[in-house]
Amino acid sequence: MENCPPNRSPGCPVEGTLGIIGGKWKGVVLYHLLDGKKRFNELRRLMPGVTQRMVTRQLREMEADGLIHRQVYAEVPPRVEYSLTTKGETLRPIILALKDWGEIHVPYYTITPKTDVA
């Protein structure tokens, strides 16, 4: 890690990881790409609360960090698809664990178990 000094704290790798996948939308983009390639507008439709500018910014950052691949097709109109790289794919268990944790512990997303009414 470039920001971790030689005598780094044990939490430095966590800090570095959150620096790469942190932010409100990167994890969500990664989650949606777990299913495979997505076009820009597909991602926007899957995340209605995010602006086009923010999606673009997050995608560029993740591409620069080597997590996603941007494929441009020479068509009219141009078609662009995003997919996980091999490095991005290694985040699959982490992203799915975040989803599972959120379903249990985040009140808005908690899935309430159905109870039998006798």
Side-chain angles (χ1 to χ4, degrees):
M1 304 256 138
E2 60 189 75
N3 295 328
C4 293
N7 59 344
R8 68 186 177 137
S9 75
C12 196
V14 174
E15 181 182 342
T17 302
L18 290 175
I20 292 173
I21 67 168
K24 187 171 182 179
W25 299 106
K26 286 182 181 179
V28 179
V29 169
L30 292 168
Y31 173 76
H32 289 305
L33 291 177
L34 292 177
D35 292 338
K37 296 177 185 175
K38 299 277 186 299
R39 293 177 72 172
F40 183 85
N41 284 329
E42 286 180 272
L43 289 168
R44 288 261 342 263
R45 279 192 295 276
L46 292 167
M47 302 179 301
V50 64
T51 65
Q52 178 175 338
R53 182 178 176 198
M54 181 56 70
V55 174
T56 300
R57 184 174 156 203
Q58 302 285 272
L59 287 168
R60 285 182 183 157
E61 288 176 11
M62 288 188 291
E63 183 181 11
D65 287 329
L67 300 179
I68 62 169
H69 174 71
R70 180 177 185 262
Q71 177 69 48
V72 181
Y73 295 91
E75 300 174 352
V76 177
R79 178 171 50 118
V80 179
E81 291 181 338
Y82 296 91
S83 59
L84 294 176
T85 62
T86 303
K87 181 179 178 181
E89 186 63 41
T90 64
L91 291 167
R92 178 179 293 274
I94 296 164
I95 298 300
L96 292 175
L98 287 169
K99 176 186 176 285
D100 293 344
W101 190 91
E103 287 178 344
I104 295 167
H105 298 289
V106 179
Y108 182 79
Y109 300 104
T110 303
I111 298 170
T112 356
K114 295 181 181 179
T115 56
D116 293 330
V117 178

